[in-house]
Amino acid sequence: MTERSILRETISKLEEYEEMIAHKIRLLRDVGNLEWHATGIYLQNTYPQVYSQFVMDSNGDDATGGAGDAFAQWRLGSSLRTVDEPEEAIEMILKKANKDIHQLSNPSRHRLLKCWMSQIFSHTGKELFELLKSNNEQKQHRSNVYGEIDRRCLKNADVIGVTTAGFALRISILRHIDAKVTICEEAGQILEGHLISALLPSLEHLIQIGDHSQLRPPINDYKLSAEGPYGSHFQLDRSMFERLSTSNHGNPPLSFLNVQRRMRPEISRLLKGTIYPELIDHESVKNIPDVVGIRKSVYWLHHTNQEDSFGGDRVQKSYSNDWEVEIIHRLVRHIVRQGVYSIDDIAILTPYSEQEHKLKRQMAYQAERIVNDFESRPLTAFKVRKPRLALFLFRAQHGLFIIGNTNVAERVPTWSKVISMLRTSNSVGTTLSLRCPRHPDVRMEVSQPEDFDVLSPEGGCTRVCNR
């Protein structure tokens, strides 16, 4: 048989099994509701003498409205006076039922119904189990056929692209491909166990590309991470890429891409002084234009406004700061009003989910990208690690504006270095200096959210002009 005919036959069988499985499930449901549709079929095959009595009561009508009504009346109870009687064995009750089902007392009827339901559930359940087993076998057969088609197709391919999850799903096919080289992209964010499972027996060369100085792979239990209380024993979120890159024993060949073509030099120097001392700026980044509407393209706005208290809200478990939300909203609106940047050019990074929700509500009519990559990994001023710092700084290209309390951030060595470098260029302060594109000589210093509306209501300044 050809593959096409095998698939056609297999799919046809699967459709039959699905119909039969659905029928058995309906039977089980009807039995639970003591409906004649399911009970009658069982009585006809197992207790024909009892079944014939219900049919005779309905004048030979086996339909739901005939024998079904007779069965419904019978199970509701006997009109005979119930007397106290010892509990009979179910075999004796069945003998009496074969002679005259209507002579059974109410307790005997209830016991008989319970017996029938138990037998039907057991019998139908076994049939359903066998159908499900056969259905799964046909599905596996279909998967094998498709797998063989995929294997032949992949065998002739020069390059195969797959995620780690897709690799695990298709491992039975991929292990027959005899791949010699595996290239792993974003290797610093892949769990070591996932990468090990992708090392096929035929593998001769493994190339990992990534940055272990940025985010680690996510795991469900923070306590088992490298930063958690038991991290020194487990470090489940430490990738193979990070382990091999930082190990002092048997280091594999390692190369660094030191030239950056993304961000302005004022931003890259913060990375050079903390994480990437060998980073080199490409000539192209030296011509990146300044952020329009603000005098300094890299700036830390210091404030001491307190975070919002949880109060009586026990559901809220994340931090937020309403003052920061408001001033970020005004700052973004001011930048967009310059007419140079589109909405998609701006990204807002926040470490907490509650802050993210408030920012989204505040900017309901705008579409700025608000990114929260940290909530699954608790982040406070005392737990900031270099990978998180790299993520903060690496997102910036033309401009970088940080809003926070420098007194708290300086307790962390990496942030302290960043703040010191910013201070050498007078890029830290309690006010942010705006710049009108038409009147650059006008000084506008904002320290509160409402200052934007007063000093730069439309994105420029308050001076009257014809331009």
Side-chain angles (χ1 to χ4, degrees):
M1 296 179 66
T2 63
E3 289 176 340
R4 181 172 296 180
S5 60
I6 293 174
L7 284 174
R8 189 185 307 113
E9 180 180 341
T10 303
I11 293 173
S12 177
K13 288 182 179 180
L14 284 172
E15 291 174 351
E16 293 178 6
Y17 283 133
E18 288 175 0
E19 291 180 4
M20 296 169 67
I21 289 170
H23 176 68
K24 294 298 180 183
I25 292 174
R26 286 194 298 269
L27 282 179
L28 291 173
R29 181 197 61 196
D30 293 342
V31 169
N33 297 330
L34 292 176
E35 295 184 10
W36 174 252
H37 171 70
T39 312
I41 295 175
Y42 177 73
L43 293 178
Q44 184 178 17
N45 296 326
T46 311
Y47 302 104
Q49 292 175 299
V50 174
Y51 172 80
S52 62
Q53 295 180 54
F54 289 119
V55 175
M56 290 175 59
D57 290 343
S58 60
N59 297 320
D61 185 7
D62 186 30
T64 302
D69 289 342
F71 173 73
Q73 292 177 4
W74 174 84
R75 68 182 176 84
L76 288 176
S78 170
S79 59
L80 297 176
R81 180 173 175 269
T82 302
V83 298
D84 294 336
E85 57 183 19
E87 187 175 284
E88 293 184 283
I90 193 65
E91 291 80 8
M92 294 300 298
I93 297 176
L94 285 170
K95 282 186 178 181
K96 292 181 179 181
N98 285 330
K99 294 180 180 179
D100 189 352
I101 193 72
H102 299 289
Q103 292 300 317
L104 296 179
S105 62
N106 285 342
S108 296
R109 297 186 186 195
H110 293 157
R111 289 198 64 208
L112 189 58
L113 281 170
K114 188 176 180 180
C115 175
W116 287 344
M117 288 180 62
S118 176
Q119 292 176 352
I120 295 173
F121 272 117
S122 176
H123 179 72
T124 308
K126 290 178 181 179
E127 291 181 336
L128 180 60
F129 176 80
E130 292 299 325
L131 286 173
L132 290 171
K133 182 179 178 181
S134 299
N135 187 64
N136 289 335
E137 290 175 353
Q138 290 299 320
K139 285 184 175 180
Q140 184 60 47
H141 185 49
R142 181 185 60 183
S143 297
N144 292 340
V145 176
Y146 282 132
E148 177 59 23
I149 297 174
D150 292 342
R151 188 195 65 80
R152 290 202 305 268
C153 178
L154 295 175
K155 193 76 173 178
N156 297 324
D158 294 326
V159 179
I160 301 172
V162 63
T163 63
T164 53
F167 192 99
L169 186 65
R170 298 284 186 174
I171 185 64
S172 59
I173 299 174
L174 294 172
R175 65 159 54 109
H176 295 101
I177 301 301
D178 295 332
K180 305 297 183 185
V181 180
T182 294
I183 301 176
C184 180
E185 190 258 347
E186 289 291 358
Q189 298 186 41
I190 297 177
L191 292 170
E192 182 161 4
H194 291 182
L195 187 56
I196 289 176
S197 65
L199 303 181
L200 298 172
S202 60
L203 188 65
E204 297 178 359
H205 193 182
L206 172 64
I207 302 172
Q208 298 187 62
I209 303 173
D211 186 354
H212 64 279
S213 295
Q214 297 200 35
L215 285 180
R216 289 188 170 119
I219 60 174
N220 294 328
D221 193 342
Y222 170 74
K223 293 183 294 185
L224 302 180
S225 68
E227 299 175 9
Y230 312 116
S232 59
H233 299 288
F234 298 99
Q235 300 186 27
L236 294 187
D237 63 340
R238 195 182 191 200
S239 64
M240 178 191 293
F241 184 81
E242 178 181 359
R243 182 173 61 80
L244 295 178
S245 299
T246 58
S247 174
N248 296 323
H249 306 285
N251 286 342
L254 189 64
S255 298
F256 290 96
L257 303 179
N258 295 332
V259 180
Q260 70 89 12
R261 294 172 170 82
R262 174 178 177 81
M263 64 196 73
R264 65 186 314 113
E266 296 96 316
I267 302 174
S268 65
R269 80 182 186 97
L270 303 179
L271 290 166
K272 296 175 187 177
T274 53
I275 304 173
Y276 305 106
E278 300 176 359
L279 193 64
I280 300 172
D281 295 326
H282 190 264
E283 286 296 323
S284 60
V285 302
K286 297 178 181 179
N287 299 320
I288 292 179
D290 295 334
V291 177
V292 180
I294 302 176
R295 292 194 179 277
K296 286 186 174 291
S297 297
V298 179
Y299 196 81
W300 185 307
L301 180 61
H302 165 73
H303 75 91
T304 57
N305 295 277
Q306 297 296 313
E307 294 171 335
D308 307 324
S309 60
F310 293 159
D313 188 358
R314 295 184 178 181
V315 177
Q316 181 181 338
K317 297 182 179 180
S318 183
Y319 295 97
S320 64
N321 189 304
D322 286 343
W323 187 89
E324 290 181 351
V325 170
E326 187 60 35
I327 201 164
I328 289 171
H329 173 227
R330 303 296 179 91
L331 176 59
V332 168
R333 188 175 63 182
H334 174 79
I335 294 174
V336 172
R337 281 176 172 175
Q338 305 307 311
V340 177
Y341 311 100
S342 68
I343 296 294
D344 295 333
D345 292 330
I346 301 174
I348 302 172
L349 289 180
T350 176
Y352 300 113
S353 60
E354 184 63 25
Q355 185 92 327
E356 176 193 9
H357 297 327
K358 288 188 175 183
L359 282 165
K360 285 181 176 178
R361 288 195 297 267
Q362 187 71 17
M363 302 180 182
Y365 300 105
Q366 300 183 38
E368 289 81 8
R369 290 175 294 158
I370 301 172
V371 183
N372 170 24
D373 286 332
F374 309 97
E375 189 61 34
S376 61
R377 309 161 182 215
L379 176 68
T380 68
F382 304 97
K383 292 184 179 179
V384 176
R385 295 293 186 268
K386 289 184 179 180
R388 315 263 177 94
L389 178 65
L391 183 67
F392 270 123
L393 301 180
F394 249 120
R395 298 297 178 100
Q397 185 175 9
H398 284 204
L400 171 66
F401 303 98
I402 305 174
I403 299 175
N405 190 326
T406 57
N407 298 328
V408 176
E410 281 182 314
R411 301 173 189 174
V412 181
T414 49
W415 276 118
S416 180
K417 291 181 181 179
V418 170
I419 295 170
S420 296
M421 286 185 284
L422 290 174
R423 282 193 172 125
T424 59
S425 59
N426 295 320
S427 298
V428 178
T430 57
T431 62
L432 180 65
S433 183
L434 307 183
R435 183 179 184 275
C436 176
R438 297 178 178 83
H439 308 107
D441 57 314
V442 176
R443 301 293 298 183
M444 295 179 289
E445 303 290 333
V446 298
S447 60
Q448 299 296 330
E450 54 269 19
D451 292 344
F452 283 93
D453 297 331
V454 175
L455 300 175
S456 181
E458 299 297 332
C461 65
T462 57
R463 181 182 294 182
V464 178
C465 68
N466 296 325
R467 288 182 288 175

